[in-house]
Amino acid sequence: MRDATTCDVAIIGGGIVGCMIARELSRYRLKVVLVEKEAEVGFGTTKTNSGIIHPGHHTTLDTLKGRLVVKGNQLYDTLQAELGFGFRRIGELVVARTEEEVGVLREMEELAHQKGVPVEMWDQARLRREEPNLSRELIAALFAPTAGVINPYELAFATIESAVLNGVELWVDALVTAIDPVDGGLRVTTRDGELTAHTVVNAAGVFSDRVAAMVGADTFRILPRKGEEYMLDGRLKGLVRRLVFPVPNKVSKGTLIIPTYDGTIMVGPTAIDTDDRHDVSTSPEGARQIFDLVRGLCPSISERDTISEFAGLRAASDTGDFIIGRTAVPGFYNAAGIQSPGLTAAPAIALYLIQQMGEDGLALVEKERWEPQVEHPVRFAQRSVEEQRALVEADPAHGRVVCRCELVTEAEVRAAIAHGARTVDGVKFRTRTGMGRCQGGFCTTRVMELLQEELDIPFHSLTKRGGGSWMVTPMGEEA
Amino acid sequence: MSTENYVCIACPIGCPLELVHEGDQIVDVSGNKCVRGAKYARQEFTDPRRTFSTTVPIEGSNWARLPVKLAAPVPKDRILEAAQAVHQLRVQAPIRMGEVLARDLLGLDGVNVVATRSLGRA
Amino acid sequence: MFGRMNRRYDTVVVGGGPAGMGAALGALDAGAGKVLVLERDGEAGGILNQCIHAGFGLQYFREELTGPEYAERFLAQVIDRDIDVMPSSYVTGLAVDSEGTKQVRVLNERAGLASIEAASVVLAMGCRERTRGSIRIPGTRPAGVLTAGLAQKLVNQKGYLPGKRVAILGSGDIGLIMARRLTLEGAEVVGVFELMPYSNGLNRNVVQCLDDYDIPMHLSTTVVEIHGRDRLEAITVAPVDAHLQPQLDKARKVPCDTLLLSIGLIPDNELARQIGIQLDPVTGGPVVSSTLETSLPGVFACGNVLHVHDVVDYVTAESLRAGGFAGEWSREIRRPKDSIQLVPGNNVRYCVPHTLSPDREHTVFMRVKQRVEPARLRVGGLMEKTLRFVIPAEMISLKIQPEMLDRFHGDRLTIDIDPA
Ligand SMILES: Cc1cc2nc3c(=O)[nH]c(=O)nc-3n(C[C@H](O)[C@H](O)[C@H](O)COP(=O)(O)OP(=O)(O)OC[C@H]3O[C@@H](n4cnc5c(N)ncnc54)[C@H](O)[C@@H]3O)c2cc1C
Ligand SMILES: Cc1cc2nc3c(=O)[nH]c(=O)nc-3n(C[C@H](O)[C@H](O)[C@H](O)COP(=O)(O)OP(=O)(O)OC[C@H]3O[C@@H](n4cnc5c(N)ncnc54)[C@H](O)[C@@H]3O)c2cc1C
Ligand code: SF4
């Protein structure tokens, strides 16, 4: 338990939204604490999504999300230069099969012009030349070059690292259980101690209505919508080079082909309403839906190539839009209902919210020194042979391979732990250990040994992702 | 006359064995491809025994556990008891493969615990 | 000896498991002067180091050894013969220059990223396990779902249990052996669930690993859902119909905190794929000639990287041969090109090697698609043999004599295994 403490701003929830707000606030002379219920940040919806930085022409201008998405997209180049997460603008194609669908593309083109999103109409010949493995039945496509793919967990880790570097305090394993108005602000009770804050930001994702209810600011409800995603074998790398969406309609539900930042092809997501806020299970129906649809776009994709699968929950609100800003409770702000494209919009959400907080009197005095950069993680596998040679020379731990499927070195794993990884998944999402085709069969024990060594905790106390996710138990005589 | 059916476990082939007996008296064994199968069936009928491998904690090595085996089989119904007895052992590196770590486990003649690899000092 | 490494070798072997060590010995026996074994792990031995149970070496050493004993004895021979063994050395690439010399790129903490020249190379990287993703079990993704091989490593090398109440999906030998191992260490094994109507493991393992401990095996049954948020809490299992489709109306929930997957092995062929070696989509290993040479001249393959073997003795026999041919290659001995294509016919899933030559005796390894009891094996019109039974899990080994091939004038030889 931590000692009770006070701060200017408490942020509840360490998803990408909470992390971005924390980092933006770290520019100012404020004491900011971010509280997260999981063992690490980004373990909610932020690590289980499609990882697309949307160009912004799928949503109209009359919603908050429709406006913030375009702004968010534009902020990503600077962010990447500062934070060094995996991000690349690979471009997006919305593909049409019929003349009627081409009509929809034209409407999207029009909307894109209105919103200032660059797009280009491709005919069949161009489409075949650029993406020869797509179905021969497709007749046209709308190309949007500003669409990007990102490793969202890397983004969350780097963002919080930057925030912490600039003075933000991070509490993990700190589930917020109550918020009460007290003298001088709001008292936030967590599993790891109490904290009194002048201003509280609710960025609790699918639980944001529950958190709002703790102070009676629950003017909305979250209706979680599940999305399943399927990762395909690395052998298929390069099959499709851009994001490929079918023309949006009732059946497609946003399912698409995603050549992820690391090149692995992913297909998904589904969109299924659920009332269980922990339900991140995958289902045979989900798989069927996705693969049926995707085969129509790219016939050589098969379910048999799946190497892993996961599901995430979109925090869709009953208003249908993002819920960002002040509430009836003084000092309590929402950044709630951040469903898709929340990842894209997150940097813009932070700016939008902080502006309001400033208008309401939060003193936004810039620090003399604010460090935008964090040390960028070294990805051994992505380096040239010459660079690899130099890396091993400088640090022999680069000469010891931990994960052979993804060629991750011991130096990378140690660095990940030094930069905040505390769990097996924390290492995995920072370095890719266990993400390849053997799914950790070879490297899990080594990763655990390194965690044990660096964090000085017993082997059997290590977890997959915190909480009750224990990995091993001692044998008889030691139990 | 009655028959017992076994699967020979003496080698990976796993011959299906048939043992014919008259009370305690073994009359015939068939199905075996080699003599070890006949021997196994007789043993299994009169006094079924098993060996097993396990590990014991080792100190002073880079490894946490030393793999060991039993040099002779124990009665089948005493396997778990024998395993527990082996797990009480503690050893110190260095160890050589073949080293006997304990003799006559559970007082059973020849049931020695033998190291199945060498482990040097860390 | 350990840790010494030159820049040029006659034969370089990638992987220091039984296949790699066998290949090194084979190469030396065939006259290669300098042989190097590169092993990724901290010691040679491969997967044998974690297979502490007995059942290895009946053919090669004529006694039943445990995995570590087999590895240690083999390594002693290798070192005795002055073969260089470099542990902690991970091969990241392979290139061939215009003269046909191979450049093996290896990562080692002391040598850095080094390049080693070799006249011939033997691939012996072993295999990996199939995972949850490859069979797509729906449900949540808690801790506690792991492959049997990872569990084996945790128990035998680290001394920890993967859990206390364990279910096993798949009846492969590693899973069966782990059922006994976990029971001996005090865990409760609630059952083995196998999709097929028969066990995929050896009968002896069903007897001595399950029956002896009253662990039930549920045939024609599979896991249809995984439950639990942080840690596995239960699985739902269901019987399957004749088309292997689960009958969900007969599903039941089995509480457990651990699910081991023992659902098969796949050759670990990233390196081969990277350099464009032709692979057989059925075996997952390289296509090889009768000298176990891959489509890249002077590069040979053996052991589990070529096709998954069930017993290590077969691996050793095969790798001694592969090493022998690699050793010959380094001395610039070239065998005549194979003239006969070996074709898997009725009920034959694959055969290795893929081609034969009438100039010498061959050992052909093959697997069937379906269980047949009894079975008749036919090699073209050349020979016939009755087998008591054949199952996909048990590899069949067949010797083909040169006299027989002499009588054969075609270029495609088909092997069929039909009901007798
Ligand atoms: C399948 C799927 C695909 C998607 N694809 C895209 C995409 O391609 N592009 C895009 O832009 N967006 C996408 N999204 C949306 C995007 O992932 C989300 O909008 C974004 O991650 C939301 O971030 P967040 O911080 O609001 O939520 P979260 O990441 O869920 O963070 C909320 C955090 O609050 C914590 N928390 C909750 N309650 C408490 C409490 N009481 N106390 C303390 N902590 C608490 C949680 O543990 C969690 O870490 C997708 C979403 C899904 C589900
Ligand atoms: C988990 C598991 C359990 C098994 N249990 C049994 C059993 O009980 N009984 C049985 O008879 N068979 C068992 N087998 C099959 C067994 O693997 C074979 O009998 C035999 O060990 C195969 O020998 P190998 O040398 O081909 O492969 P391995 O023993 O796997 O050796 C391959 C070696 O290559 C190394 N390597 C791989 N890639 C590289 C690289 N790029 N650079 C350098 N080195 C590399 C690996 O680290 C490894 O040491 C098991 C297999 C597995 C995977
Ligand atoms: S009888 Fe002989 S050949 Fe048959 S399983 Fe027993 S030991 Fe093997």
Side-chain angles (χ1 to χ4, degrees):
Chain A
M1 275 294 235
R2 292 166 187 265
D3 294 334
T5 174
T6 59
C7 64
D8 297 306
V9 184
I11 301 164
I12 302 172
I16 193 52
V17 172
C19 291
M20 278 291 169
I21 295 169
R23 180 171 186 260
E24 275 310 313
L25 283 175
S26 75
R27 296 174 188 270
Y28 308 106
R29 288 198 212 154
L30 296 168
K31 179 172 177 195
V32 179
V33 178
L34 187 147
V35 288
E36 166 56 52
K37 71 179 164 70
E38 301 294 327
E40 301 194 28
V41 301
F43 276 19
T45 305
T46 292
K47 84 170 161 55
T48 51
N49 55 52
S50 308
I52 302 169
I53 299 307
H54 291 280
H57 62 307
H58 292 227
T59 34
T60 47
L61 271 169
D62 52 3
T63 58
L64 194 50
K65 67 180 181 196
R67 294 195 294 274
L68 292 177
V69 63
V70 182
K71 178 83 191 289
N73 179 300
Q74 291 162 357
L75 292 169
Y76 267 92
D77 298 302
T78 313
L79 280 172
Q80 189 206 20
E82 292 170 349
L83 301 177
F85 48 86
F87 167 64
R88 190 178 302 125
R89 295 194 188 268
I90 61 169
E92 157 200 302
L93 293 168
V94 182
V95 291
R97 195 177 292 274
T98 60
E99 281 308 326
E100 202 187 323
E101 288 187 346
V102 175
V104 182
L105 292 190
R106 294 247 150 73
E107 286 165 28
M108 290 179 77
E109 188 182 21
E110 181 51 38
L111 182 60
H113 290 324
Q114 270 179 39
K115 294 182 82 175
V117 176
V119 289
E120 209 177 289
M121 198 64 104
W122 285 7
D123 61 9
Q124 190 173 41
R126 176 88 192 267
L127 181 60
R128 284 195 186 170
R129 202 162 58 237
E130 302 274 359
E131 294 286 355
N133 296 317
L134 291 184
S135 163
R136 312 292 284 175
E137 286 170 17
L138 303 172
I139 57 172
L142 186 67
F143 174 58
T146 54
V149 284
I150 190 172
N151 283 338
Y153 29 85
E154 287 177 16
L155 171 67
F157 296 143
T159 306
I160 197 66
E161 187 177 347
S162 170
V164 169
L165 189 72
N166 287 296
V168 170
E169 205 173 295
L170 171 64
W171 294 18
V172 291
D173 290 322
L175 176 82
V176 173
T177 53
I179 308 170
D180 303 289
V182 289
D183 268 359
L186 294 161
R187 188 180 60 220
V188 178
T189 310
T190 84
R191 283 270 162 84
D192 199 29
E194 255 177 42
L195 151 102
T196 304
H198 175 268
T199 301
V200 171
V201 176
N202 169 18
V206 278
F207 294 96
S208 51
D209 54 348
R210 302 265 169 96
V211 168
M214 292 177 191
V215 279
D218 47 335
T219 51
F220 62 95
R221 262 190 347 127
I222 296 294
L223 309 169
R225 194 175 305 141
K226 187 165 80 174
E228 300 180 17
E229 312 257 14
Y230 294 78
M231 259 320 176
L232 308 181
D233 194 286
R235 195 161 49 74
L236 297 179
K237 281 183 186 177
L239 187 69
V240 171
R241 287 160 46 219
R242 301 172 185 79
L243 296 155
V244 181
F245 283 89
V247 162
N249 62 31
K250 286 217 170 50
V251 197
S252 74
K253 290 194 168 170
T255 303
L256 77 156
I257 307 173
I258 307 152
T260 62
Y261 174 76
D262 294 294
T264 317
I265 304 268
M266 186 164 90
V267 295
T270 51
I272 306 156
D273 291 328
T274 168
D275 31 6
D276 179 350
R277 292 167 195 241
H278 296 287
D279 176 13
V280 286
S281 61
T282 50
S283 66
E285 307 81 65
R288 210 170 308 126
Q289 264 181 33
I290 292 174
F291 283 96
D292 282 352
L293 188 125
V294 162
R295 248 190 312 274
L297 300 175
C298 181
S300 46
I301 289 180
S302 152
E303 291 190 58
R304 281 196 305 276
D305 293 315
T306 307
I307 57 162
S308 78
E309 58 209 71
F310 63 83
L313 294 174
R314 300 176 187 83
S317 69
D318 55 1
T319 69
D321 201 357
F322 292 167
I323 297 164
I324 305 171
R326 53 181 82 86
T327 65
V329 181
F332 188 82
Y333 292 78
N334 281 320
I338 311 297
Q339 57 166 305
S340 280
L343 191 61
T344 312
I349 293 173
L351 295 178
Y352 177 87
L353 179 72
I354 292 168
Q355 191 190 345
Q356 252 195 39
M357 287 160 55
E359 286 163 13
D360 292 353
L362 185 71
L364 300 177
V365 183
E366 287 195 15
K367 289 176 184 162
E368 260 161 49
R369 247 186 68 77
W370 182 76
E371 176 53 64
Q373 292 283 333
V374 294
E375 199 184 316
H376 300 185
V378 172
R379 285 282 207 88
F380 190 82
Q382 286 176 3
R383 299 303 185 88
S384 71
V385 171
E386 295 321 310
E387 290 172 325
Q388 289 180 342
R389 206 160 261 148
L391 283 170
V392 188
E393 219 150 274
D395 181 359
H398 272 303
R400 295 190 287 269
V401 174
V402 173
C403 167
R404 68 201 218 191
C405 306
E406 297 289 325
L407 195 64
V408 181
T409 69
E410 189 182 301
E412 287 176 80
V413 175
R414 288 193 192 274
I417 300 169
H419 287 262
R422 302 170 62 226
T423 61
V424 173
D425 274 2
V427 171
K428 167 173 158 178
F429 287 110
R430 280 175 178 85
T431 64
R432 295 187 63 72
T433 48
M435 278 203 193
R437 55 173 60 80
C438 95
Q439 293 285 299
F442 288 110
C443 62
T444 303
T445 38
R446 188 67 196 131
V447 168
M448 289 172 69
E449 284 167 0
L450 292 170
L451 278 164
Q452 171 186 27
E453 209 179 296
E454 294 280 332
L455 301 176
D456 197 21
I457 43 181
F459 198 73
H460 61 264
S461 302
L462 294 169
T463 62
K464 180 169 160 60
R465 50 166 176 260
S469 66
W470 53 277
M471 297 288 293
V472 297
T473 166
M475 277 187 188
E477 71 269 25
E478 288 124 59
Chain B
M1 290 246 256
S2 31
T3 59
E4 299 291 333
N5 291 300
Y6 303 115
V7 171
C8 179
I9 62 170
C11 91
I13 293 174
C15 296
L17 307 175
E18 192 172 287
L19 178 142
V20 182
H21 62 103
E22 183 88 70
D24 287 350
Q25 210 60 39
I26 297 170
V27 180
D28 183 43
V29 177
S30 58
N32 52 312
K33 274 197 184 170
C34 79
V35 289
R36 299 177 11 155
K39 193 171 157 224
Y40 171 77
R42 286 169 197 281
Q43 180 78 42
E44 193 69 1
F45 181 68
T46 46
D47 171 22
R49 283 176 176 253
R50 297 287 186 272
T51 61
F52 60 84
S53 312
T54 185
T55 64
V56 298
I58 180 165
E59 272 180 17
S61 160
N62 280 329
W63 286 48
R65 313 292 285 199
L66 172 73
V68 300
K69 68 177 181 185
L70 299 187
V74 295
K76 201 174 129 185
D77 52 13
R78 297 189 72 183
I79 300 176
L80 289 177
E81 192 188 341
Q84 272 161 18
V86 176
H87 294 157
Q88 300 309 313
L89 298 174
R90 295 290 176 276
V91 297
Q92 190 76 40
I95 294 279
R96 304 250 7 122
M97 177 170 78
E99 221 176 292
V100 174
L101 308 172
R103 285 185 192 282
D104 303 338
L105 199 72
L106 307 177
L108 295 161
D109 227 16
V111 180
N112 297 342
V113 181
V114 179
T116 55
R117 70 165 289 164
S118 306
L119 278 180
R121 256 193 281 266
Chain C
M1 278 298 281
F2 266 58
R4 197 174 67 203
M5 184 164 78
N6 297 314
R7 291 283 159 194
R8 208 200 130 75
Y9 286 86
D10 295 308
T11 303
V12 168
V13 180
V14 185
M21 294 194 283
L25 287 173
L28 214 64
D29 288 342
K34 284 169 68 189
V35 180
L36 170 69
V37 177
L38 295 169
E39 168 54 47
R40 186 188 63 100
D41 281 344
E43 60 182 359
I47 214 79
L48 293 181
N49 288 325
Q50 69 182 59
C51 299
I52 64 160
H53 56 280
F56 301 85
L58 274 172
Q59 289 170 30
Y60 188 75
F61 288 109
R62 304 244 158 249
E63 61 180 298
E64 183 157 48
L65 302 173
T66 63
E69 289 172 310
Y70 192 99
E72 192 164 328
R73 286 209 195 174
F74 222 105
L75 184 61
Q77 293 188 16
V78 167
I79 289 175
D80 222 39
R81 299 282 301 275
D82 263 341
I83 292 168
D84 288 355
V85 178
M86 277 292 292
S88 305
S89 301
Y90 181 85
V91 175
T92 63
L94 176 62
V96 185
D97 67 21
S98 53
E99 260 111 77
T101 304
K102 279 94 200 153
Q103 302 284 347
V104 182
R105 196 165 65 232
V106 58
L107 185 57
N108 171 282
E109 59 176 308
R110 269 168 299 159
L113 193 60
S115 216
I116 298 168
E117 272 185 22
S120 62
V121 168
V122 184
L123 304 179
M125 288 95 71
C127 59
R128 65 190 148 84
E129 296 178 277
R130 295 223 298 157
T131 63
R132 173 175 176 187
S134 55
I135 52 165
R136 284 225 0 257
I137 313 170
T140 54
R141 309 192 61 74
V145 181
L146 66 165
T147 61
L150 175 54
Q152 190 174 48
K153 192 166 176 173
L154 286 169
V155 174
N156 292 344
Q157 297 186 313
K158 293 297 296 175
Y160 287 89
L161 288 174
K164 295 206 164 100
R165 210 179 134 81
V166 184
I168 300 177
L169 175 60
S171 60
D173 285 309
I174 314 171
L176 299 182
I177 279 160
M178 283 315 292
R180 171 176 62 183
R181 202 48 209 112
L182 290 166
T183 308
L184 287 179
E185 292 292 355
E188 180 193 0
V189 180
V190 298
V192 174
F193 303 91
E194 168 58 52
L195 179 70
M196 302 307 287
Y198 46 79
S199 159
N200 263 316
L202 297 172
N203 279 333
R204 69 181 320 215
N205 286 336
V206 176
V207 172
Q208 60 183 354
C209 299
L210 301 186
D211 298 354
D212 279 0
Y213 302 92
D214 297 322
I215 298 167
M217 159 110 83
H218 305 275
L219 296 173
S220 298
T221 306
T222 192
V223 176
V224 291
E225 195 171 350
I226 286 175
H227 309 272
R229 209 197 303 165
D230 285 348
R231 178 76 196 191
L232 183 66
E233 284 159 17
I235 54 175
T236 299
V237 300
V240 296
D241 63 20
H243 309 288
L244 305 181
Q245 290 309 305
Q247 298 168 280
L248 294 178
D249 51 324
K250 294 183 188 150
R252 66 188 170 95
K253 219 165 168 175
V254 180
C256 55
D257 62 23
T258 306
L259 176 65
L260 297 194
L261 305 175
S262 179
I263 51 180
L265 303 169
I266 321 172
D268 210 358
N269 259 310
E270 261 334 273
L271 193 59
R273 181 166 301 147
Q274 217 181 73
I275 53 181
I277 285 178
Q278 191 192 346
L279 299 180
D280 176 339
V282 180
T283 57
V287 170
V288 290
S289 71
S290 66
T291 57
L292 303 174
E293 187 181 356
T294 67
S295 62
L296 195 60
V299 176
F300 299 78
C302 59
N304 280 351
V305 80
L306 177 55
H307 60 123
V308 175
H309 300 59
D310 352 299
V311 278
V312 73
D313 297 273
Y314 285 150
V315 171
T316 298
E318 181 181 87
S319 56
L320 286 167
R321 274 186 279 127
F325 291 119
E328 281 185 359
W329 180 279
S330 73
R331 296 171 52 213
E332 294 186 9
I333 299 172
R334 299 288 181 270
R335 297 269 177 170
K337 223 173 150 46
D338 290 347
S339 54
I340 305 166
Q341 180 88 28
L342 205 52
V343 183
N346 296 342
N347 196 28
V348 178
R349 204 159 75 80
Y350 73 77
C351 18
V352 169
H354 297 74
T355 54
L356 300 179
S357 155
D359 73 326
R360 73 201 112 90
E361 182 190 277
H362 298 283
T363 304
V364 174
F365 289 130
M366 61 196 106
R367 281 184 198 274
V368 292
K369 291 179 187 158
Q370 267 160 15
R371 181 192 180 104
V372 177
E373 184 179 1
R376 176 164 301 119
L377 184 155
R378 281 179 299 131
V379 184
L382 301 178
M383 72 175 281
E384 245 186 63
K385 196 174 161 183
T386 308
L387 304 170
R388 211 180 65 225
F389 70 94
V390 291
I391 56 170
E394 278 182 39
M395 201 166 79
I396 302 162
S397 161
L398 175 74
K399 282 238 182 319
I400 296 186
Q401 304 300 336
E403 303 84 74
M404 209 175 94
L405 294 176
D406 262 349
R407 283 182 276 132
F408 183 71
H409 300 294
D411 54 3
R412 286 167 66 86
L413 191 57
T414 304
I415 300 189
D416 301 296
I417 302 181
D418 295 302

